[in-house]
């Protein structure tokens, strides 16, 4: 079987993708097991420079950096095609064509342990009740 690769974009204008690499595992709650499409697991940010990234997952923050790959990867999308020549032949199986969707030249590597994000509790302001029913804060 012949597989054709189709690229409608040039090398310079092809959409750039990246691989996010973390150490460890992301455990998904049982209630989400059947709904993994478009599951939001965290927030990826580039706060200071184009080479440094942060990834916030729940109450954990990971610090990472952008690392170039030795060889780039192509992101492909499979399309089924039926050629007129194939229909007339004895083998009626449809052909396959791959379309280039993007190219991956970098990975974002998070190799350190996550930092716990702990927020400060709000200070409690005690109120004093007066004889008229209104309350005023105690200083």
């Amino acid at each position: 079987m012949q597989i054709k690769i189709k690229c409608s974009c040039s090398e310079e204008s092809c959409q750039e993708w990246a691989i996010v690499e973390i150490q460890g595992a992301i455990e998904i709650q049982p209630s989400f097991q059947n709904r993994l499409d478009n599951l939001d697991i965290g927030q990826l940010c580039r706060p200071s420079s184009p080479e440094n990234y942060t990834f916030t997952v729940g109450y954990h923050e990971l610090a990472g950096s952008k690392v170039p790959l030795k060889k780039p990867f192509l992101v492909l999308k499979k399309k089924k095609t039926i050629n007129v020549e194939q229909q007339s032949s004895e083998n009626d199986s449809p052909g396959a064509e791959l379309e280039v969707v993007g190219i991956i030249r970098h990975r974002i590597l998070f190799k350190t342990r996550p930092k716990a994000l702990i927020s400060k509790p709000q200070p409690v302001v005690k109120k004093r009740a007066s004889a008229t029913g209104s309350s005023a804060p105690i200083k």
Side-chain angles (χ1 to χ4, degrees), residues 41-53:
I41 60 168
Q43 185 174 7
L44 182 66
C45 296
R46 184 174 50 188
S48 56
S49 72
E51 302 299 318
N52 297 324
Y53 288 83

Side-chain angles (χ1 to χ4, degrees), residues 56-61 114-119:
T56 307
V57 180
Y59 294 106
H60 304 283
E61 184 178 76
K115 179 176 72 171
L117 297 176
I118 301 172
S119 61

Side-chain angles (χ1 to χ4, degrees), residues 124-139:
V124 177
V125 178
K126 295 181 181 179
K127 293 184 179 181
R128 173 179 44 180
S130 65
T132 59
S134 63
S135 59
I138 298 174
K139 294 183 183 178

